[in-house]
Amino acid sequence: TLEACASREIFVCSDVDVVFLKPWVDAALKSLDGVDLAWMGEPSFSPAFFIARGSAHLESMLQDLLDHWGQWSGDGEAMAYGLRKHEIKHHRLPESFANPGILGYPIPILSDELTFKVPENVAVFHANFCELRQKDLMLSKLRQQAAEDARVGLGFFPPQCPDRPFDRQSMLSRDK
């Protein structure tokens, strides 16, 4: 992030459990109007996904956080502190950047099924509020909803080729 801050006019930082469901770049860029950083709310501040303008000021904030890492219980507290201390102009991204907490579903998975349907306006979704072992399942279910794919085993039936499933087992055998 420090390198991006120093060498990029605009950059994005994302957790690995963020899924991109629809085009999102234009909305993210528009959200930077008048601020240096726009973040995904959960519903309050979260560093799970943000877009920022690279600048010496922001780079200085990030370096300060690294120099004092360990003073906070997590990256969210550290970033929130840094934004305040360094007076970085920031605000929350629009509702098209969401997570289960924002949608009112603090328990997103029950019996291996999502407890919610992602609203059609959501372009970027953070698969949080679940146990680490449930992340893959949640991300898969979110992609299913978005693409209307039917997941099979460790793979899926792409809508373009419903007769040609791909999964790890199909790589081992040609049986149908």
Side-chain angles (χ1 to χ4, degrees):
T1 306
L2 275 173
E3 184 179 321
C5 199
S7 64
R8 304 276 187 259
E9 184 177 332
I10 305 266
F11 68 96
V12 170
C13 185
S14 175
D15 279 4
V16 297
D17 60 347
V18 170
V19 64
F20 302 90
L21 303 171
K22 294 182 180 176
W24 58 273
V25 174
D26 290 341
L29 289 171
K30 185 177 179 184
S31 73
L32 280 177
D33 191 28
V35 298
D36 299 313
L37 187 138
W39 41 267
M40 179 186 288
E42 302 199 351
S44 61
F45 175 79
S46 170
F49 180 91
F50 64 86
I51 184 168
R53 296 182 191 285
S55 69
H57 189 82
L58 187 58
E59 183 182 11
S60 173
M61 180 203 85
L62 294 171
Q63 186 61 59
D64 183 34
L65 296 181
L66 286 175
D67 291 346
H68 298 95
W69 199 254
Q71 290 184 242
W72 308 276
S73 64
D75 56 348
E77 284 185 23
M79 284 287 291
Y81 169 83
L83 292 170
R84 280 189 312 273
K85 177 182 176 187
H86 291 268
E87 299 179 350
I88 305 290
K89 293 179 187 173
H90 64 95
H91 63 214
R92 185 173 151 178
L93 284 159
E95 291 179 2
S96 57
F97 298 80
N99 64 54
I102 288 174
L103 299 179
Y105 294 90
I107 301 174
I109 296 178
L110 284 175
S111 302
D112 291 340
E113 293 298 326
L114 295 180
T115 60
F116 61 93
K117 174 95 171 104
V118 176
E120 287 190 29
N121 70 318
V122 172
V124 177
F125 196 86
H126 184 202
N128 63 348
F129 291 83
C130 68
E131 295 179 31
L132 185 58
R133 64 183 175 82
Q134 295 177 312
K135 295 281 185 176
D136 182 54
L137 174 67
M138 187 174 191
L139 290 166
S140 296
K141 297 274 185 188
L142 291 165
R143 287 187 192 100
Q144 258 183 287
Q145 279 187 13
E148 298 179 6
D149 288 343
R151 188 168 166 89
V152 175
L154 299 174
F156 61 91
F157 285 101
Q160 303 83 352
C161 306
D163 60 326
R164 293 180 51 210
F166 169 80
D167 65 3
R168 289 184 183 162
Q169 286 78 28
S170 69
M171 291 169 53
L172 302 175
S173 170
R174 295 285 182 206
D175 298 337
K176 288 205 173 199

